[in-house]
């Protein structure tokens, strides 16, 4: 069975601090997909990134970066120089080898204070 | 622009009433999903549908019903049998449950249901 664990239920930082959101997954598939979604206070989940199991390159997009490590089954998300607009709930998700049935983690609520 | 539309945004239900939440997508996606989210909690799968006229129960289907008569539409009915329906409901779609590519889900903006 697939499982995604986001051990940090809530994180609070002050603006401009760097923050890392942890995601640990379990799967028996050799081909799988990992995702991060952002849920701002408005409620809609917004797609941030997708990673397949064969691509372990880290990715950077502006202030966002992702560290995928198969050896530790982790797909961590770092926000550099956090801003108040980053305040949201962030979900990590794992897809099966067809890539379309997702298992979600419990989410991490990030609060960035001015 | 393609996307998923959920309506209404806010819904109030009296005890004992059935209510239907609308979900429409124009992405030509085959698969659609309903999730429930309680305050401070994660997402729990209610129902999903891979194809028209077919749907499967998720983890918390009791007290809910769905239909999939059209590819674009996947309405969710919260019945009076659902004892604690106050929650945030999210609809999502994906290209195909049995497809390839790992494209993930597109989500609607949600419906907040409150029992009064």
């Amino acid at each position: 069975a697939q499982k995604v664990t986001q051990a940090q239920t809530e994180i609070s930082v002050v603006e401009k601090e760097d923050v890392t959101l942890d995601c640990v997954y379990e799967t028996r598939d050799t081909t799988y997909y990992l995702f991060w979604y952002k849920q701002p206070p408005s409620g809609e989940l917004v797609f941030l990134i997708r990673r397949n199991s064969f691509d372990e390159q880290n990715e950077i997009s502006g202030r966002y970066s992702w560290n995928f490590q198969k050896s530790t089954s982790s797909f961590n998300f770092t926000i550099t120089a956090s801003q108040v607009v980053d305040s949201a709930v962030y979900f990590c998700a794992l897809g099966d080898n067809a890539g379309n049935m997702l298992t979600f983690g419990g989410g991490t609520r990030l609060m960035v204070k001015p | 622009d393609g996307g998923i539309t959920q309506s209404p945004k806010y819904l109030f239900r009296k005890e004992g009433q059935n209510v239907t939440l609308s979900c429409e997508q124009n992405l030509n996606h085959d698969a659609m999903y309903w999730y429930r989210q309680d305050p401070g909690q994660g997402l729990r799968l209610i129902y999903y549908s891979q194809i028209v006229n077919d749907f499967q129960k998720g983890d918390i289907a009791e007290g809910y019903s769905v239909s999939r008569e059209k590819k674009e539409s996947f309405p969710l009915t919260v019945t009076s049998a659902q004892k604690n329906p106050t929650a945030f409901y999210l609809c999502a779609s994906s290209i195909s449950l049995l497809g390839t590519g790992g494209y993930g889900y597109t989500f609607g903006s949600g419906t907040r249901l409150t029992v009064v």
Side-chain angles (χ1 to χ4, degrees), chain A residues 18-102:
Chain A
D18 298 348
V19 58
T20 296
L21 283 59
D22 297 332
C23 173
V24 174
Y25 63 92
E26 296 175 28
T27 181
R28 292 181 179 176
D29 292 337
T30 54
T31 302
Y32 53 89
Y33 298 86
L34 294 161
F35 302 82
W36 277 94
Y37 287 87
K38 174 182 179 180
Q39 185 180 35
S42 59
E44 180 176 354
L45 269 75
V46 177
F47 168 83
L48 294 178
I49 191 171
R50 170 182 59 131
R51 247 311 169 254
N52 73 55
S53 54
F54 298 107
D55 182 1
E56 287 194 73
Q57 281 191 343
N58 292 330
E59 176 139 350
I60 298 174
S61 177
R63 297 183 297 105
Y64 294 172
S65 63
W66 291 269
N67 182 3
F68 177 28
Q69 292 197 341
K70 287 179 77 171
S71 60
T72 56
S73 296
S74 65
F75 187 44
N76 297 336
F77 173 31
T78 297
I79 301 175
T80 303
S82 59
Q83 299 177 2
V84 172
V85 293
D86 296 326
S87 297
V89 180
Y90 291 86
F91 289 96
C92 180
L94 171 66
D96 63 14
N97 58 5
N100 288 292
M101 192 63 175
L102 299 186

Side-chain angles (χ1 to χ4, degrees), chain B residues 1-5 24-29 72:
Chain B
D1 286 338
I4 297 182
T5 301
E24 304 276 335
Q25 54 101 357
N26 61 3
L27 299 165
N28 200 33
H29 285 176
E72 301 80 17

Side-chain angles (χ1 to χ4, degrees), chain B residues 43-98:
Chain B
L43 304 175
R44 293 188 289 169
L45 182 65
I46 305 172
Y47 269 98
Y48 64 97
S49 168
Q50 302 177 45
I51 197 169
V52 174
N53 293 323
D54 183 63
F55 47 83
Q56 307 295 327
K57 293 182 179 180
D59 302 319
I60 56 165
E62 185 175 351
Y64 300 97
S65 66
V66 293
S67 63
R68 186 87 186 277
E69 297 176 2
K70 298 186 302 182
K71 186 175 184 177
E72 301 80 17
S73 179
F74 191 40
L76 173 73
T77 297
V78 184
T79 74
S80 57
Q82 172 49 241
K83 298 305 178 188
N84 186 21
T86 294
F88 186 58
Y89 292 87
L90 280 160
C91 179
S93 71
S94 63
I95 290 175
S96 171
L97 189 61
L98 300 177

